[in-house]
Amino acid sequence: MKEKLQRLGQALMQPVAVMPLAALLLGIGYFIDPVDWGAGSPIAAFFISAGGAVLDNLGILFAVGIAFGIAKENHGASALAGLVAFLTLSKMLSTATVAQLKSIDVEAWTASDPFRVAAFDAINNKNVLIGIISGVLGGKAYDRFHSTKLPDFLAFFSGRRLVPIMASLYALIASIILIFLWPFIYAGLVKFGTTLTGMGALGAGLYGFFNRLLIPTGLHHALNQVFWFGLADINDIPNFLNNVQESITATYHPGMYQAGFFPIMMFGLPGAALAIAQRADESNKKTTKALMIAGALASFLTGVTEPLEFAFMFVAPQLYLVHALLTGISVFLAAQLKAYAGFGFSAGLIDLLLSAKNPMAQKIWILLVMGLVFFAIYYLLFRALIDKWDVATPGRSSKSQNSGQVSSDDKTADQEAKEQQATVKGSYTDTAKTILQGLGGAENIDTTSYCTTRLRLTVNDPAKVNDDKIKEAGVAGIMKPGPKAVQVIIGPQVQAVYDEFVKLLGK
């Protein structure tokens, strides 16, 4: 399960890497026109539309990226299968389709059961949960059917052409289940949310905790409807932005369910990003640092946290739980200390500056002090826990799975330099052939991938791996970070060797 979660986490890196630019474009547009969101400024509209092209279609991006990433061969047919699965699920679970299946007029259904309609309205191109499900279905369909042979009269649909078809069938089965299950999930979250509203600052803290905890599933939107909008008549965001004084009570003040997110998004998560970048292996530090800087800037300036959160939520779920707990504490403290702020987009610097002008804002300086404290807490805690729990965060290999081998974290600068400067001797094809022979042949290879300097493989039978044979290829080294995992250190020419290796596999 850990290996599968890590593979899923790696697959998420492709769509996650696109998010920071989209977040910054949206932030620029929102800063130019914070009230009308582009209606009064063509320049703002340009930036907002460009950024929205990504963030408004996160479900699709995750479906394609995950399907491509988790399929054993990383073939384009798997990405197409993920897209087909997403289109099938989103169409089958749309309000119009569900109404048609139930033989109900949409307008009549909306009037008689608006809550259930709202549940299915939440399934759209932004829904990350549907994207993740679709990606997994597409990837698994590829692994299962990419080499399937059909009878001659159906031969055209054999192999990879069959993959999207089967992914669609998988999605149809999943949609039948979700048509019945989804409204209950949505209703349960909303009921839970309405229960918290009467608990004051403690309820706000619990909301903050579950808001982050539900991010991987996309179901946090249902919970947000209770606190931020009109589902339970709280309307925290509209009340704050519109300066609704009548909403102030002994236990509620507009901004109460928003303020505590500023210290986390502006300071806490960037602190975690710094820790993750510093604990990356030396060979991966440049790449990891670039990813973390981009994510930290997006989080600090605009409050878009997905680039950072999705970078570790699946590969290190225990750290994500810590993050959710700290978010809950921050929201609780802000509400308890009566520090109030709100946002129109998210809890980043741009919204904090705009929020400071709002009459509803109170004690914003407390949020800044909290932010500095949470930056230190996130940095120190994440850095300590990554080492203590031996977490394979982005760019970092797990020491405990190295089977006595030296991990990248333990290498000296001289060893690292040698790995970076390693040179393949002979042709790439001959090198790949020798490595494949040492790994036990094509039939012993389960999955293949590569990073900056290494072939990263999993094998079916570790006993068939011959280290001495692999070393005949002139490789810089061999590591075994897991029972069936093998890493062959090639050097900067790794992609060329990988391409030849894949050709030899016939995949």
Side-chain angles (χ1 to χ4, degrees):
M1 179 58 68
K2 182 179 180 181
E3 182 180 339
K4 290 178 180 178
L5 285 174
Q6 289 180 353
R7 189 166 183 82
L8 178 61
Q10 293 171 354
L12 287 168
M13 288 299 99
Q14 193 66 35
V16 164
V18 183
M19 291 184 199
L21 176 61
L24 290 174
L25 289 172
L26 275 169
I28 292 170
Y30 181 50
F31 184 77
I32 294 172
D33 187 6
V35 178
D36 295 324
W37 279 57
S41 169
I43 298 176
F46 175 84
F47 284 106
I48 290 171
S49 297
V54 173
L55 294 186
D56 290 346
N57 295 284
L58 283 182
I60 296 176
L61 289 175
F62 276 82
V64 173
I66 289 175
F68 181 81
I70 68 171
K72 291 182 178 179
E73 297 178 8
N74 302 130
H75 194 277
S78 62
L80 178 60
L83 176 60
V84 170
F86 181 86
L87 295 176
T88 303
L89 273 173
S90 58
K91 179 64 176 179
M92 294 302 298
L93 296 173
S94 67
T95 303
T97 301
V98 175
Q100 188 175 22
L101 292 173
K102 293 176 175 288
S103 300
I104 304 173
D105 178 74
V106 174
E107 292 185 2
W109 189 26
T110 302
S112 61
D113 192 1
F115 183 85
R116 196 172 292 261
V117 171
F120 286 106
D121 282 344
I123 296 179
N124 50 45
N125 287 357
K126 297 180 182 181
N127 196 302
V128 174
L129 173 63
I130 299 301
I132 292 173
I133 293 173
S134 301
V136 172
L137 294 178
K140 294 303 179 184
Y142 183 87
D143 289 344
R144 174 67 178 83
F145 297 104
H146 74 278
S147 59
T148 299
K149 294 182 180 180
L150 297 176
D152 289 345
F153 70 97
L154 293 174
F156 177 81
F157 299 102
S158 295
R160 295 189 177 97
R161 291 193 181 99
L162 181 62
V163 173
I165 297 172
M166 298 309 300
S168 180
L169 293 178
Y170 281 175
L172 284 173
I173 295 172
S175 68
I176 293 173
I177 297 171
L178 287 172
I179 282 176
F180 296 99
L181 190 60
W182 177 254
F184 292 101
I185 296 174
Y186 190 87
L189 286 172
V190 172
K191 177 63 176 177
F192 175 71
T194 54
T195 301
L196 297 184
T197 58
M199 300 173 63
L202 177 60
L206 289 172
Y207 158 67
F209 169 69
F210 285 103
N211 171 279
R212 292 297 96 181
L213 202 62
L214 291 170
I215 288 283
T217 68
L219 293 173
H220 62 295
H221 291 300
L223 201 60
N224 291 343
Q225 291 292 324
V226 177
F227 294 91
W228 287 352
F229 303 107
L231 196 61
D233 295 324
I234 296 178
N235 283 313
D236 198 41
I237 289 179
N239 285 344
F240 185 89
L241 294 178
N242 297 322
N243 190 23
V244 180
Q245 298 287 342
E246 294 80 5
S247 62
I248 299 176
T249 66
T251 58
Y252 169 72
H253 187 288
M256 176 176 172
Y257 298 108
Q258 302 169 70
F261 288 97
F262 284 97
I264 300 300
M265 295 181 177
M266 289 179 59
F267 298 95
L269 280 171
L274 177 61
I276 291 172
Q278 289 186 348
R279 301 314 296 143
D281 296 346
E282 288 298 326
S283 59
N284 299 323
K285 271 192 176 179
K286 289 183 179 179
T287 302
T288 306
K289 183 179 178 181
L291 181 64
M292 291 298 107
I293 288 176
L297 282 174
S299 185
F300 178 77
L301 293 174
T302 68
V304 174
T305 60
E306 283 89 342
L308 290 180
E309 290 172 327
F310 278 100
F312 68 88
M313 66 170 56
F314 289 106
V315 296
Q318 60 272 58
L319 287 181
Y320 192 80
L321 178 61
V322 172
H323 164 51
L325 286 169
L326 291 173
T327 302
I329 292 171
S330 179
V331 177
F332 165 76
L333 287 175
Q336 187 71 21
L337 297 172
K338 302 188 185 305
Y340 303 119
F343 43 78
F345 178 58
S346 189
L349 177 63
I350 295 173
D351 266 298
L352 186 66
L353 294 175
L354 295 170
S355 181
K357 302 176 183 179
N358 193 303
M360 283 291 182
Q362 291 186 17
K363 302 180 181 178
I364 285 183
W365 65 270
I366 289 181
L367 300 180
L368 295 175
V369 173
M370 285 175 58
L372 295 174
V373 173
F374 273 101
F375 178 88
I377 290 174
Y378 266 79
Y379 170 70
L380 296 173
L381 192 57
F382 267 58
R383 187 178 172 93
L385 292 179
I386 287 171
D387 289 335
K388 180 178 177 60
W389 291 339
D390 193 21
V391 181
T393 45
R396 183 176 186 272
S397 301
S398 174
K399 291 181 184 179
S400 64
Q401 296 177 344
N402 279 338
S403 300
Q405 302 277 350
V406 177
S407 77
S408 296
D409 248 8
D410 291 333
K411 289 185 296 184
T412 65
D414 182 60
Q415 288 174 310
E416 183 59 38
K418 288 180 180 178
E419 181 172 326
Q420 292 287 351
Q421 296 167 11
T423 302
V424 171
K425 300 174 182 177
S427 71
Y428 297 134
T429 302
D430 290 341
T431 300
K433 283 182 179 178
T434 303
I435 292 173
L436 183 58
Q437 291 171 2
L439 291 168
E443 67 280 358
N444 198 38
I445 304 300
D446 184 21
T447 65
T448 63
S449 62
Y450 67 95
C451 63
T452 310
T453 59
R454 307 175 186 181
L455 287 178
R456 293 176 178 265
L457 313 148
T458 57
V459 296
N460 296 313
D461 184 0
K464 293 182 179 180
V465 177
N466 186 330
D467 291 6
D468 292 334
K469 183 65 179 178
I470 296 174
K471 290 177 182 178
E472 291 180 8
V475 301
I478 304 166
M479 293 179 61
K480 297 177 180 178
K484 295 185 177 182
V486 180
Q487 296 178 6
V488 182
I489 303 171
I490 304 294
Q493 306 93 343
V494 63
Q495 181 175 348
V497 175
Y498 172 81
D499 291 341
E500 296 301 320
F501 189 85
V502 170
K503 290 179 184 178
L504 293 174
L505 292 177
K507 300 180 181 179

